[in-house]
Amino acid sequence: MSNLSATAVACANIALIKYWGNKNDALRIPENGSISFNLDSLFTQTKVSFAQEFSSDQLLINGKPADPAALIRVETFLDIIRNLAGKRMFAKVESENNFPIGTGIASSASSFAALSLSASIAIGLDLSEKDLSRLARRGSGSACRSIPAGYVEWYPGKSDEDSYAESIAPANYWNLMDLVVVVSQEHKKVGSTEGHKLACSSPFQKIRIENSPERLSVIRNAIRRKDFQALADMVEKDSNMMHAVMMTSSPSLLYWQPTTIAIMHAVQEWRRSGIPVCYTLDAGPNVHVITTKDYYKLIHEKLSELAGISQVYSSKVGGKAHLIE
Ligand code: PMV
């Protein structure tokens, strides 16, 4: 059997300015740009092996065969890579998350970033970081932001060619930390692929998109100047704007639980008392609490005193997707 295999690791990421809604759903060209940082403690390791002998693609997630929907999504993605390489071999994909799946922490960004790198190398493609980011975007939009290192901006672009992410500051530029507070372990009823399609049904989406260059500029400057207060105000506003769109879509997406709201209030109270801390939420009830390394222990303690929290995962800012032996 030929040995066309490679293993890659990629981190999850948390968006400070969110991606919600596509100009082109099939190509995952977003309506607005977004900015995130990588989460070094939450990552996916993926080994891909291509072989002439395989008669179909196989997908193992944490050692178990994946469900049919996940397999179809990966097969479709591997087709893009096979077309790029001009090769017709099937693959075995073995993916491991270091964070338990089913905890409500999204794994699609780290998974498709790790898959893009491992599969492209295994099949013999040598893609630039930009082209890897473009490729990862096809699997899950936010995955394009898990390719470059540290603080990352996704330029929305207008086409497949110009919609990609790049690093705007290295991981060690600013010592931010992210604490994912797990409120519910339930699987989302409506995932982000479906959610993006509903965004345009909210009357608030248009204004959210129109105003996005201004919000991106505030966050870019806040990162450059390491200005936590400016970052905090805009991160919460942007998350609230995305959830306002979600709540006012048809059908409505209401992800918040009572504990979600209790954490949001607590975080704002802590910030008023002088602690650099803010919240942001993705498409689910879990809350990402962002602070600096100096305050991380204190925030962790404070969070563990709140009722209804099942787990907290803490991360520093992470590096880029990379190959391992
Ligand atoms: O990449 P997707 O399709 O899982 O979308 C991610 C959407 C949010 O997590 C809600 C926002 C973001 O920018 O990460």
Side-chain angles (χ1 to χ4, degrees):
M1 196 163 97
S2 51
N3 184 21
L4 295 172
S5 80
T7 305
V9 172
C11 300
N13 68 70
I14 180 64
L16 303 171
I17 295 294
K18 306 292 189 186
Y19 148 54
W20 196 246
N22 288 316
K23 283 196 208 84
N24 180 324
D25 282 314
L27 291 173
R28 297 181 197 265
I29 312 288
E31 289 272 18
N32 66 284
S34 52
I35 294 179
S36 59
F37 64 82
N38 288 342
L39 303 178
D40 85 326
S41 306
L42 303 177
F43 54 83
T44 302
Q45 176 172 321
T46 301
K47 178 177 181 189
V48 176
S49 314
F50 285 94
Q52 296 289 0
E53 290 82 352
F54 295 155
S55 53
S56 64
D57 291 321
Q58 302 163 64
L59 173 62
L60 298 176
I61 299 180
N62 295 342
K64 297 197 189 101
D67 64 56
L71 177 60
I72 290 172
R73 190 164 170 186
V74 164
E75 283 171 338
T76 309
F77 186 71
L78 288 170
D79 284 342
I80 299 171
I81 297 179
R82 283 186 277 257
N83 283 340
L84 272 177
K87 293 189 180 149
R88 291 280 153 268
M89 279 172 289
F90 290 110
K92 181 177 184 188
V93 177
E94 296 162 272
S95 194
E96 310 257 342
N97 291 307
N98 79 327
F99 50 98
I101 47 173
T103 49
I105 302 177
S107 58
S108 63
S110 54
S111 302
F112 279 100
L115 179 59
S116 301
L117 180 55
S118 51
S120 59
I121 293 290
I123 208 163
L125 291 167
D126 184 18
L127 301 178
S128 64
E129 186 175 276
K130 175 181 171 183
D131 287 343
L132 263 179
S133 174
R134 290 175 47 229
L135 174 62
R137 192 199 76 232
R138 303 285 298 274
S140 175
S142 58
C144 77
R145 298 190 310 238
S146 282
I147 295 289
Y151 296 84
V152 173
E153 177 158 3
W154 176 6
Y155 308 117
K158 289 190 165 58
S159 68
D160 177 42
E161 281 70 39
D162 59 4
S163 185
Y164 68 99
E166 75 179 9
S167 182
I168 55 170
N172 63 1
Y173 182 75
W174 190 10
N175 60 0
L176 294 188
M177 303 262 321
D178 179 74
L179 292 86
V180 193
V181 188
V182 179
V183 166
S184 164
Q185 314 219 344
E186 246 182 62
H187 264 298
K188 291 180 259 193
K189 287 179 194 79
V190 179
S192 47
T193 299
E194 289 315 304
H196 290 296
K197 294 179 188 157
L198 302 179
C200 61
S201 67
S202 164
F204 297 149
Q205 173 72 345
K206 190 167 174 279
I207 189 81
R208 196 189 76 86
I209 302 306
E210 276 169 11
N211 181 254
S212 61
E214 208 175 305
R215 299 197 305 283
L216 287 160
S217 154
V218 169
I219 291 294
R220 239 179 261 129
N221 288 330
I223 293 172
R224 188 159 43 82
R225 296 196 308 261
K226 302 180 192 166
D227 179 345
F228 196 94
Q229 188 64 44
L231 182 105
D233 291 344
M234 192 50 86
V235 163
E236 290 187 359
K237 189 181 198 174
D238 186 80
S239 171
N240 290 346
M241 283 176 88
M242 180 182 73
H243 282 270
V245 166
M246 291 164 161
M247 288 176 200
T248 52
S249 298
S250 304
S252 160
L253 301 175
L254 176 56
Y255 289 111
W256 299 355
Q257 296 290 335
T259 311
T260 312
I261 300 169
I263 299 166
M264 292 159 81
H265 280 288
V267 165
Q268 290 200 332
E269 186 57 46
W270 300 336
R271 190 156 80 256
R272 275 194 292 272
S273 77
I275 303 172
V277 62
C278 64
Y279 67 76
T280 182
L281 280 85
D282 286 340
N286 300 328
V287 185
H288 287 254
V289 176
I290 296 173
T291 185
T292 63
K293 191 163 169 271
D294 298 343
Y295 287 87
Y296 140 77
K297 276 214 175 87
L298 176 68
I299 295 298
H300 203 284
E301 271 164 33
K302 284 179 170 292
L303 284 168
S304 51
E305 285 160 15
L306 298 179
I309 290 170
S310 64
Q311 236 155 347
V312 178
Y313 293 93
S314 318
S315 277
K316 294 189 295 210
V317 182
K320 63 181 180 181
H322 59 277
L323 291 169
I324 57 168
E325 289 301 310

